[in-house]
């Protein structure tokens, strides 16, 4: 297993210099302790880093939240929800992104989709 990357904390107060939009990435997760690190590693490697990454463990019965806390991200643990992913995303959006001036939501999920440069596009 590759070593985890250490990254500077994501900026949360405002968009990085040269980027007028604030980028918030919401990562829904259910029992993904074995793969959440790969997803977050991919997000940390972006040429345009997210201003805030929120991992949303939804009623997990494994160590997904604990694994996510090894990274400079916000972890928003939720109980198992009836509408699972959509409800988890809506709750996180309302708490961390909705109404933020200049906000731009992103959604991270599979590590294969987190290639460097994806967030800068």
């Amino acid at each position: 297993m590759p070593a985890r990357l250490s990254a500077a904390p994501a900026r949360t107060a405002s968009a990085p210099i040269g980027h007028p939009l604030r980028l918030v990435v919401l990562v829904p997760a259910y029992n993904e302790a074995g793969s959440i690190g790969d997803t977050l590693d991919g997000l940390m490697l972006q040429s345009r880093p997210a201003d805030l990454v929120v991992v949303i463990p939804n009623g997990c019965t494994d160590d997904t939240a604990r694994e996510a806390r090894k990274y400079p991200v916000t972890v928003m643990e939720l109980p198992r929800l009836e509408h699972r992913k959509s409800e988890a995303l809506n709750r996180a959006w309302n708490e961390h992104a909705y109404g933020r001036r200049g906000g731009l939501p992103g959604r991270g999920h599979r590590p294969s989709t987190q290639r460097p440069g994806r967030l800068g596009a």
Side-chain angles (χ1 to χ4, degrees):
M1 175 176 240
R4 294 289 180 220
L5 300 174
S6 62
R11 298 175 190 162
T12 57
S14 62
I17 295 172
H19 295 284
L21 294 176
R22 182 173 182 270
L23 180 64
V24 177
V25 177
L26 306 177
V27 183
Y30 179 71
N31 289 344
E32 296 185 43
S35 62
I36 194 70
D38 292 335
T39 298
L40 297 176
D41 281 341
L43 287 170
M44 299 299 125
L45 290 172
Q46 296 300 305
S47 58
R48 193 306 191 188
D51 297 296
L52 177 65
V53 175
V54 181
V55 177
I56 317 151
N58 174 11
C60 294
T61 58
D62 68 357
D63 291 327
T64 300
R66 184 175 59 81
E67 291 298 316
R69 285 190 178 95
K70 295 177 180 178
Y71 292 82
V73 301
T74 297
V75 177
M76 182 181 177
E77 287 190 73
L78 296 173
R80 186 78 172 141
L81 302 170
E82 180 181 351
H83 299 290
R84 299 180 185 156
K85 188 184 294 185
S86 63
E87 189 173 352
L89 287 168
N90 286 336
R91 287 185 184 199
W93 172 257
N94 287 335
E95 186 168 328
H96 296 285
Y98 181 76
R100 303 278 175 117
R101 187 172 177 213
L104 177 66
R107 183 171 64 93
H109 190 56
R110 292 182 298 272
S112 61
T113 65
Q114 305 312 320
R115 63 191 181 281
R118 183 169 189 257
L119 297 182

